[in-house]
Amino acid sequence: MTLNVYLSGEIHTDWREQIIDGAKGLDVTFSSPVTDHDASDDCGVAILGAEDNKYWHDHKGAMINAIRTRKAIEDADVVVVRFGEKYRQWNAAFDAGYAAAKGKSLIVLQQPEHDHPLKEVDAAALAVAREPHQVVEILRYVLTGGLSS
Amino acid sequence: MTLNVYLSGEIHTDWREQIIDGAKGLDVTFSSPVTDHDASDDCGVAILGAEDNKYWHDHKGAMINAIRTRKAIEDADVVVVRFGEKYRQWNAAFDAGYAAAKGKSLIVLQQPEHDHPLKEVDAAALAVAREPHQVVEILRYVLTGGLSS
Amino acid sequence: MTLNVYLSGEIHTDWREQIIDGAKGLDVTFSSPVTDHDASDDCGVAILGAEDNKYWHDHKGAMINAIRTRKAIEDADVVVVRFGEKYRQWNAAFDAGYAAAKGKSLIVLQQPEHDHPLKEVDAAALAVAREPHQVVEILRYVLTGGLSS
Amino acid sequence: MTLNVYLSGEIHTDWREQIIDGAKGLDVTFSSPVTDHDASDDCGVAILGAEDNKYWHDHKGAMINAIRTRKAIEDADVVVVRFGEKYRQWNAAFDAGYAAAKGKSLIVLQQPEHDHPLKEVDAAALAVAREPHQVVEILRYVLTGGLSS
Amino acid sequence: MTLNVYLSGEIHTDWREQIIDGAKGLDVTFSSPVTDHDASDDCGVAILGAEDNKYWHDHKGAMINAIRTRKAIEDADVVVVRFGEKYRQWNAAFDAGYAAAKGKSLIVLQQPEHDHPLKEVDAAALAVAREPHQVVEILRYVLTGGLSS
Amino acid sequence: MTLNVYLSGEIHTDWREQIIDGAKGLDVTFSSPVTDHDASDDCGVAILGAEDNKYWHDHKGAMINAIRTRKAIEDADVVVVRFGEKYRQWNAAFDAGYAAAKGKSLIVLQQPEHDHPLKEVDAAALAVAREPHQVVEILRYVLTGGLSS
Amino acid sequence: MTLNVYLSGEIHTDWREQIIDGAKGLDVTFSSPVTDHDASDDCGVAILGAEDNKYWHDHKGAMINAIRTRKAIEDADVVVVRFGEKYRQWNAAFDAGYAAAKGKSLIVLQQPEHDHPLKEVDAAALAVAREPHQVVEILRYVLTGGLSS
Amino acid sequence: MTLNVYLSGEIHTDWREQIIDGAKGLDVTFSSPVTDHDASDDCGVAILGAEDNKYWHDHKGAMINAIRTRKAIEDADVVVVRFGEKYRQWNAAFDAGYAAAKGKSLIVLQQPEHDHPLKEVDAAALAVAREPHQVVEILRYVLTGGLSS
């Protein structure tokens, strides 16, 4: 069994690297959104031409990013969504809803202070983790049946 | 043509009433989540028994609310998602993602200051409105082909 | 909002009547398997001709019952599955799995002593109730947003 | 043609090994749930933290196990479900229902004394076998068209 | 529960009338292909213009008939397929395959001398009846749970 | 049997009225795009605010029109697409492709001089008509089995 | 582009070998039902035990054959269905209907004397061929864009 | 991540070659319709026999081309549709609609003078490009997250 895992959400800490490093040796393929904040914001106008209006500037970029995101979620068996300390992160919650509707196994990675506002998202998840290493342990267990001692 | 419209998101202002009132006479059926904040938070333990742990208290409620929410989105032709001034509203963004993945027509109702953090959500929408009466105008136009003079 | 609710599982107690009675006045349509035990066992041979072999006797009946069961689950928004005190009730668990795969909202009705063997079924459910009146309360809340005082 | 076969159900006898051994040389990929009983029961709390309440202890584990089970059934062409002599095995029947709803080819492996309580499950199956070697013969025939002499 | 039943196949005997008459008083809606043989053969050229080539003459008619047939099968809960004594009736077997792939409950109505050539079709059916009144009895039982005495 | 029919394409002649008039008395429900050319072009900016850039002016309108179009095609059993003498009518061909992918029965209404450029569209259709009254005849035949004498 | 092609229908002539030989060098993977007539008829009882009743003898075999057939059609891009000179071949027509409902590209291989009884099957096909080499030419053209000179 | 990209539309300029050349080194697989105009027009009669009537001549070819086109779109993650300066190109718009209904990411490649007639097609797209190199840049960004400097 190979697991395709999409790592959605917060882009300002190294949680993705921690999971990818921790999962070395497991039969997992990871995908992510573009995590270069500037490229992600500006890809639309950089490729397709400038816009006077900031709304359309953002829109062109978000739609190109959607080509990557939709493909990655469609191909995923497991979608991990990380909610960080800062920002509103509506795109993370959007990805969680999208993944849930597509029948993907959802793992939410978040701190306890967000339990209440995230309760609807958590209710659609198969696991709520606090730390990246817990996500690694879940992947290891799902693939090998083994638990770390 | 009858439109089933689900009104998702913010529960602290009267935007739903404005839309429902404005759409009087149009062939529209509206549905909403439970907007009584206390009932929505406590339905799980009130019906199925208390929990010591606040996480499971929330969880039991969120899952019962999901029975209503999933049914309403599944039945909807159009999902309107309102992002208000306050709170994180991850459940609104989750509903937007869920609706998009199910191929529903999505209308986002939000103020310009949130354009940037909502750009991925907006990119999945067929309309981004600022005021409830604009949502009414969209429904009127979609159903009748007429524009207010 | 109208809810179509399929009542699956145990046929030797009056739990269905309790739920249907309790839900009077709510916008719910109920369906059930055939609960006449003899008719359910013998419908195949009674209609299509006797079988020497008990296996095929059972088989012909089970397949005709499936016409009703599949239709009822397909049409349902909510599937309630009752596990009683006696018998193996594999058909109840089968219905639960079938409903889960079809994306139906699942409510399990069972006593605490079965929590452990039912944990995989419960993990697919949006509510685990102990008494029929709790199922009624869930339906009432989902439809009206109100909780009994 | 390669067949992906998921082996669901009873975990206390060596029926899986008998099938996997017997199918050596055939173009089959097998998957199974985690069959280490303790790991399967405790994976949730071992990875995500202890629970005071046994119900939630079980629940956290069952949901992590579902990540593996859903993936395996989704990928399978054939789902073999074994009902053993002991225990209630509702998860086996749940998997059978889930697989049937997903359109998978279902093979049930069970003894004749369970024919009557399993008649609804059998009615959804393409074969009912009594012994593991019969499952091997079915896989061999499906893949090669040949019957053992 | 209302059943939509599509009556496919043989058009030279009164089996449809027998079923429709027998089911009077039951909550069933019936649909059928066009059973006027000449209209069915010639509808294409009668409406859309003559063809020199008999193949295209037939083709234009068959495609218009498909508008009705596809709609009727799509709407059906149960598809009854009648194989008569005469003709090759490939369209009946085609409808059976189409219905099976769409997950419809299939009832085959045929005489024992065709059991062997129809075995693959029968293997996809939930009932194999010999006489129209048996189909009526199945519908009555599925809807009411009652068996004729 | 009731047919839902969506009338897509050319908006400068009275072909829709001819079909709707001709079908009086038949069990058909018709839907159409907004055929007021100015309203259709300007609905986006009229409701949601002006755009400096003509591209986004068009875009906002086209997306609101899509709410109506997608709903109408989703609900349709039959999609009639009319290609007129003038204009490029790419939206008509787009609707035809969309309807074909959704498994709708497609009827194309076009003149012989367009047979060659429309051959891929026609290849997905169940009928190619030249005149509106032929579409009426098809609907009458599909619903009643009768041909005009 | 690789094409998966399922070769359904008549098993008494060498049409499959002609197509497979002719397609040497093309990027095609072929699958077929079991074409050993005796094995196909008796596989059920040979593996799962004898039946007194010929109907169930046939049934057990047909259901095991369905494991192979369903998998092969599900995996196929193109389904070629051959109707021969003899026998009723209802299973060929059933496969054609099944494939059509699954959205597979259907090629029918049949002689002109069967054009009329096969018109509904042909109406669901993208090509009607008379000789195996024409099927090879279609596959070659679809994969390479080239026509034999 | 590998992207499967289908290049639909105009066949008289070298835009496909520009994109394929530009994407060298990226993890992209391209597919296209048959771009040999004569082969595409005549494949039906060349393989399956001549037709007196030009309509059926075209029809037989268009249906064989559909085997390739449907397979390529079904397998694609991204569909690029090019509208050129000349011809009506209804098949391009048809492919766009088909791809949109299948949930594929759509990129439209067209000149500004067609913005207005293409507005409904563009409204279903995630990007509207003017030049082939922009399509290459989108693919590069989606796969690598990098923008050309």
Side-chain angles (χ1 to χ4, degrees), chain D residues 4 57 91 130 137:
Chain D
N4 289 302
H57 175 116
N91 60 325
R130 304 309 186 182
E137 287 313 297

Side-chain angles (χ1 to χ4, degrees), chain A residues 55 58 88 90 116 118 128, chain B residues 55 58 88 90 116 128:
Chain A
Y55 179 84
D58 279 352
R88 292 177 177 267
W90 284 320
H116 189 67
L118 279 172
V128 176
Chain B
Y55 179 85
D58 280 353
R88 292 179 176 267
W90 283 321
H116 189 67
V128 176

Side-chain angles (χ1 to χ4, degrees), chain H residues 39-89:
Chain H
S40 172
D41 272 8
D42 298 333
C43 61
V45 296
I47 297 173
L48 296 173
E51 292 289 333
D52 293 334
N53 185 327
K54 184 59 163 59
Y55 179 84
W56 297 116
H57 175 116
D58 280 352
H59 191 69
K60 283 166 90 168
M63 291 181 84
I64 288 180
N65 284 319
I67 299 176
R68 179 175 172 123
T69 307
R70 301 289 161 85
K71 160 75 173 165
I73 296 180
E74 207 69 63
D75 286 356
D77 303 304
V78 175
V79 173
V80 180
V81 184
R82 163 78 173 171
F83 292 87
E85 308 299 297
K86 299 190 293 185
Y87 306 110
R88 291 176 177 268
Q89 307 172 89

Side-chain angles (χ1 to χ4, degrees), chain A residues 41-106:
Chain A
D41 273 8
D42 298 334
C43 61
V45 295
I47 298 174
L48 297 173
E51 292 289 334
D52 294 333
N53 185 327
K54 183 61 162 58
Y55 179 84
W56 298 116
H57 176 116
D58 279 352
H59 191 69
K60 283 165 90 169
M63 290 181 85
I64 289 180
N65 284 318
I67 299 176
R68 178 173 172 126
T69 307
R70 301 290 159 86
K71 160 74 174 166
I73 296 181
E74 208 69 64
D75 285 358
D77 303 304
V78 176
V79 173
V80 180
V81 184
R82 162 79 173 169
F83 292 87
E85 308 298 298
K86 298 190 295 185
Y87 306 108
R88 292 177 177 267
Q89 306 173 89
W90 284 320
N91 59 324
F94 181 87
D95 280 0
Y98 196 92
K102 291 284 182 184
K104 306 298 176 180
S105 289
L106 185 64

Side-chain angles (χ1 to χ4, degrees), chain F residues 45-67:
Chain F
V45 296
I47 298 173
L48 297 173
E51 293 289 333
D52 294 334
N53 186 326
K54 184 61 162 58
Y55 179 85
W56 298 117
H57 176 116
D58 280 353
H59 191 69
K60 283 166 89 169
M63 291 181 85
I64 288 180
N65 284 318
I67 299 175

